[in-house]
Amino acid sequence: MTTVLKLGGSVVTDKSEPETVDREALDDAAAAIAAADTTGGSDAVGTADSDGLVVVHGGGSFGHHHAAAHGVTDTEGTHDVEGVLAIHDAMRELNDAVVGALQDRDVPALPVHPLSTAHRDSAGETTLPSEQVETMLAEEFVPVLHGDVIAQSNEGATVLSGDEIVTLLARQLAADRVGLCSTVPGVLDADEVIDRIERFEAVADALGASDATDVTGGMAAKVRELLDLDTPASIFGPADLAAFLAGEQPGTLVQRRR
Ligand SMILES: Nc1ncnc2c1ncn2[C@@H]1O[C@H](COP(=O)(O)OP(=O)(O)OP(=O)(O)O)[C@@H](O)[C@H]1O
Ligand SMILES: C=C(C)CCOP(=O)(O)O
């Protein structure tokens, strides 16, 4: 079984303070991942024939802050190389922290930086090679990707969100499970967690943007992307990470009715 897990930038960073890792939250997440034994092989998460875990993390107070400062979004690009590097370097720094926290817990985590491998065409179609991720999984490593800036034809460089990485990889790896761990316990409608979302229109009124600086669209964009997947996806909070990794479906399950 292959699991793709996104650790929200809002979980692993303090989104109200530029470039601040939330060390406690990150270590808690790393501990939950370590306890779940998520590497490929016979004892891995979910079933006996697990192919392992891919971790993706978002930008939080690292990427979004720099992207906003340089006017870069997932559709608006820049040719300013210093701006591109500022966004990428911030994301690499956060990725170092995430990989480091996992390695401190003996999770065999390795970084994968999308700027060096992914690109977009002028219509915004993203290509993200996954062969290195698949090989890492086969060798029982835990690849750790992150939202990033990537080259886009006619735009310079634009933001690739962790959420889009999750959906691209889930398709390419034919993932069995997808989890988005954010700061909220699920998708909320008037403070109640919605159990299941099958159609965007049914929840559109409840969905908003992020309440922090976020250039890629917050909760509404997440739900839209997840509804396009064949793989069922769960959106849940940090308290439910261990349950998700143990095979449960906490929070909100997003799956289009076929
Ligand atoms: N109906 C809703 N239910 C839950 N959260 C919502 C809703 N509408 C808007 N939100 C906002 O969406 C946020 C989650 O999206 P956000 O993009 O900030 O999360 P993330 O993936 O953890 O962070 P990042 O994008 O930095 O990786 C919540 O913190 C909340 O502010
Ligand atoms: C802002 C950058 C560079 C990454 C955005 O990733 P996200 O937080 O998953 O939307």
Side-chain angles (χ1 to χ4, degrees):
M1 179 173 289
T2 304
T3 302
V4 179
L5 169 71
K6 182 183 172 196
L7 296 176
S10 62
V11 174
V12 296
T13 75
D14 179 349
K15 258 183 149 172
S16 61
E17 288 289 323
E19 293 185 44
T20 308
V21 175
D22 186 333
R23 296 269 164 207
E24 201 180 327
L26 176 57
D27 186 51
D28 286 350
I33 291 170
D37 185 10
T38 46
T39 54
S42 58
D43 293 320
V45 134
T47 69
D49 63 345
S50 176
D51 294 319
L53 175 74
V54 180
V55 175
V56 179
H57 65 80
S61 60
F62 285 73
H64 290 287
H65 163 71
H66 286 280
H70 291 91
V72 184
T73 68
D74 45 6
T75 53
E76 300 292 317
T78 184
H79 287 90
D80 170 14
V81 73
E82 281 177 21
V84 175
L85 267 184
I87 302 165
H88 176 67
D89 284 348
M91 288 309 301
R92 254 203 355 225
E93 192 183 328
L94 178 57
N95 186 254
D96 283 349
V98 174
V99 169
L102 288 166
Q103 288 184 350
D104 285 349
R105 294 275 178 177
D106 294 328
V107 175
L110 288 177
V112 178
H113 305 299
L115 171 62
S116 307
T117 65
H119 71 278
R120 281 198 174 111
D121 66 16
S122 54
E125 192 73 28
T126 308
T127 301
L128 175 72
S130 60
E131 288 84 355
Q132 84 281 50
V133 170
E134 288 169 52
T135 308
M136 285 181 188
L137 288 174
E139 295 302 311
E140 303 191 4
F141 294 112
V142 173
V144 185
L145 295 90
H146 55 87
D148 206 348
V149 259
I150 59 170
Q152 176 166 348
S153 296
N154 301 331
E155 281 290 337
T158 48
V159 169
L160 171 65
S161 75
D163 297 340
E164 189 179 349
I165 295 174
V166 166
T167 52
L168 290 166
L169 282 182
R171 276 196 198 96
Q172 287 165 219
L173 304 177
D176 304 282
R177 306 187 70 223
V178 167
L180 260 58
C181 179
S182 192
T183 39
V184 279
V187 182
L188 304 172
D189 186 3
D191 292 340
E192 292 281 316
V193 174
I194 302 170
D195 279 344
R196 195 179 180 100
I197 298 176
E198 295 177 341
R199 286 186 321 118
F200 188 80
E201 298 68 33
V203 292
D205 287 350
L207 296 174
S210 174
D211 53 13
T213 305
D214 192 316
V215 298
T216 52
M219 192 56 82
K222 281 185 212 318
V223 171
R224 263 190 206 286
E225 298 215 5
L226 295 177
L227 279 169
D228 274 345
L229 276 184
D230 288 332
T231 313
S234 298
I235 300 177
F236 52 85
D240 283 325
L241 178 56
F244 172 77
L245 291 170
E248 293 174 31
Q249 284 179 333
T252 302
L253 185 71
V254 182
Q255 187 170 31
R256 184 175 293 282
R257 191 195 285 266
R258 307 268 159 203

